[in-house]
Amino acid sequence: MENFEFYSPTYFVFGKGTENETGKFVKKYGGHKVLIHYGGGSVVRSGLLDRVKASLDAEGIQHVELGGVKASPHSDLVYQGIELARKEGVDFVLPIGGGSVMDSAKGIALGAVYDGDFWDFYCGKAGPVTKALPVGCVVTIAASGSEGSTDSVVTLVTEDGKQYKRCADGDILRPLFAIMNPELMMTLPPYQTASGIADIMAHCMERYFSHTKENELTDRLLEAVMLTMIKEGKRVMKDPSNYDARANIMWAAMVAQNNSTGVGRAQDWGTHHMDNEIGILYGASHGAGLALLFPYWMEYAMKTQGPELFVKYATRVWGCQNDFEHPEVTAREGIQRFRDFMTEIGMPATISELGGKEEDIPVMVENMFYGAPNHGNFVKLTPEIAAEIYKMAL
């Protein structure tokens, strides 16, 4: 295990009806004027936005609104939010929604107090974020785990129409509180639920496949989250209104990404970076791209790094019998079981299912490596390796 520092200040408020306590927690953490940030109409149609605003009003907290967040949030809305936050003098940012809304809100929070271009933190011109407006959140989708994480992922849209999806991070971006009511997820379409399940498992696997030795505790924690997702994922796809399944998935999303499962070990994240380009080019959900890419990444990684970790993954997570004489057989069975599970819950298995073509691969590779040369750790991706995995995934 490697040396590490870990700081996780988020106060979690979990359970039925907890969104009605939002105002109390904004007040507890010193908010006087709040920027409410959200996506489309579901937050409005469900009455959630009104309930949150009523809780703020009850505490005497002023608020302004900015909706319109799309999947893979774009920089133009972040710039708009920064301008609004400064103009209105807000001192707290409150996203209501899933990972995209939370990521966009974190971009606004850091940009509102920064003299330069907020994108400096995403393109590598500035270091980790150390100053931002405080953020609290009301979570409506179990997937990204942004409610407990240091990260914000935003897509820059250039004047010539190109898109670059990049990440900023810093402990200051961890929300001060997160309202988590599993009931809010019961009306999600099956595709969004399945995408969230895939995203959660991918967050585990990015940490699990590591060259760092002697990580027994975090290995077991990651395995526990993945086993929970297999059980509860099947249960919730059959019964979307199952509160207990939703609750377990919602908490698993946070545990998978707040990095308590990743401390002391080198992490990979190459597959996430490859998926960014699939989302940009084909509009696929983050989870869908990860679901289809990971089996092919695992096949490549097993071929180049050996089967040992993949045998452990196959036996501990998927219950495969270990073929000691032919470990690669066991490893491939585990990979196939992951692929089968993703297909069972409705995720794509190939890029071609999203409309992808081989001639798109050079564009994805070029965008992926533009201004961002380092990808992956367990497998250090080069443009040639990324292109090979994309081609495998067609």
Side-chain angles (χ1 to χ4, degrees), residues 98-168:
S100 293
V101 177
M102 288 183 271
D103 285 355
S104 182
K106 290 178 180 182
I108 293 169
L110 69 89
V113 296
Y114 179 58
D115 290 336
D117 186 340
F118 93 96
W119 189 251
D120 290 348
F121 292 99
Y122 294 79
C123 70
K125 288 184 180 179
V129 183
T130 58
K131 187 177 181 182
L133 292 177
V135 177
C137 58
V138 180
V139 186
T140 63
I141 300 175
S144 73
S146 191
E147 61 271 17
S149 84
T150 64
D151 301 334
S152 167
V153 180
V154 173
T155 301
L156 175 70
V157 183
T158 64
E159 291 182 359
D160 59 1
K162 290 186 177 180
Q163 298 182 30
Y164 300 102
K165 191 172 183 179
R166 300 290 187 263
C167 179

Side-chain angles (χ1 to χ4, degrees), residues 41-76:
S42 60
V43 170
V44 178
R45 290 193 303 271
S46 67
L48 175 60
L49 179 61
D50 285 340
R51 295 197 297 277
V52 170
K53 289 196 293 186
S55 76
L56 295 170
D57 292 338
E59 299 293 340
I61 297 169
Q62 299 179 63
H63 46 85
V64 295
E65 301 175 28
L66 179 62
V69 181
K70 306 294 184 184
S72 297
H74 285 185
S75 55
D76 55 353

Side-chain angles (χ1 to χ4, degrees), residues 1-326:
M1 182 182 289
E2 300 175 354
N3 293 357
F4 67 87
E5 295 181 7
F6 181 66
Y7 174 67
S8 183
T10 309
Y11 191 102
F12 296 100
V13 187
F14 193 100
K16 299 177 180 180
T18 48
E19 66 271 20
N20 297 309
E21 300 181 53
T22 306
K24 179 178 75 174
F25 285 95
V26 171
K27 185 175 183 179
K28 175 180 177 179
Y29 288 103
H32 298 90
K33 189 169 186 179
V34 174
L35 171 59
I36 303 173
H37 200 37
Y38 56 93
S42 60
V43 170
V44 178
R45 290 193 303 271
S46 67
L48 175 60
L49 179 61
D50 285 340
R51 295 197 297 277
V52 170
K53 289 196 293 186
S55 76
L56 295 170
D57 292 338
E59 299 293 340
I61 297 169
Q62 299 179 63
H63 46 85
V64 295
E65 301 175 28
L66 179 62
V69 181
K70 306 294 184 184
S72 297
H74 285 185
S75 55
D76 55 353
L77 192 64
V78 176
Y79 284 117
Q80 186 179 339
I82 292 169
E83 182 180 354
L84 179 63
R86 291 173 175 170
K87 177 184 175 182
E88 295 290 339
V90 304
D91 59 8
F92 204 97
V93 182
L94 181 69
I96 306 174
S100 293
V101 177
M102 288 183 271
D103 285 355
S104 182
K106 290 178 180 182
I108 293 169
L110 69 89
V113 296
Y114 179 58
D115 290 336
D117 186 340
F118 93 96
W119 189 251
D120 290 348
F121 292 99
Y122 294 79
C123 70
K125 288 184 180 179
V129 183
T130 58
K131 187 177 181 182
L133 292 177
V135 177
C137 58
V138 180
V139 186
T140 63
I141 300 175
S144 73
S146 191
E147 61 271 17
S149 84
T150 64
D151 301 334
S152 167
V153 180
V154 173
T155 301
L156 175 70
V157 183
T158 64
E159 291 182 359
D160 59 1
K162 290 186 177 180
Q163 298 182 30
Y164 300 102
K165 191 172 183 179
R166 300 290 187 263
C167 179
D169 68 89
D171 280 328
I172 194 71
L173 295 180
R174 290 187 190 268
L176 293 177
F177 70 83
I179 304 292
M180 304 176 70
N181 178 2
E183 293 175 310
L184 301 179
M185 301 188 298
M186 289 183 179
T187 57
L188 286 175
Y191 179 81
Q192 279 190 286
T193 296
S195 293
I197 292 165
D199 200 3
I200 295 164
M201 292 199 73
H203 289 161
C204 293
M205 292 189 291
E206 297 284 18
R207 294 171 168 91
Y208 192 77
F209 296 108
S210 170
H211 289 299
T212 310
K213 305 298 184 183
E214 301 295 341
N215 296 298
E216 183 64 15
L217 177 59
T218 49
D219 280 350
R220 292 297 190 179
L221 291 171
L222 289 163
E223 290 159 7
V225 175
M226 289 188 279
L227 286 164
T228 298
M229 297 314 302
I230 295 165
K231 175 187 174 183
E232 302 295 8
K234 292 178 180 180
R235 196 155 67 134
V236 80
M237 295 307 293
K238 292 178 181 177
D239 180 10
S241 63
N242 187 314
Y243 178 86
D244 291 322
R246 291 283 188 189
N248 278 303
I249 292 170
M250 193 173 215
W251 191 243
M254 195 289 301
V255 172
Q257 187 63 352
N258 82 331
N259 210 39
S260 58
T261 57
V263 293
R265 59 194 301 151
Q267 302 177 23
D268 191 79
W269 299 101
T271 309
H272 265 69
H273 296 173
M274 292 185 67
D275 174 57
N276 288 343
E277 306 310 320
I278 289 178
I280 288 171
L281 203 57
Y282 309 119
S285 73
H286 189 44
L290 291 168
L292 74 86
L293 273 176
F294 246 109
Y296 301 101
W297 177 89
M298 286 192 280
E299 288 173 6
Y300 182 90
M302 186 188 72
K303 181 176 66 176
T304 59
Q305 308 300 319
E308 180 182 1
L309 273 179
F310 297 94
V311 170
K312 183 167 74 171
Y313 170 74
T315 55
R316 289 187 178 185
V317 177
W318 295 103
C320 302
Q321 292 296 313
N322 193 350
D323 186 336
F324 290 96
E325 294 184 2
H326 306 95

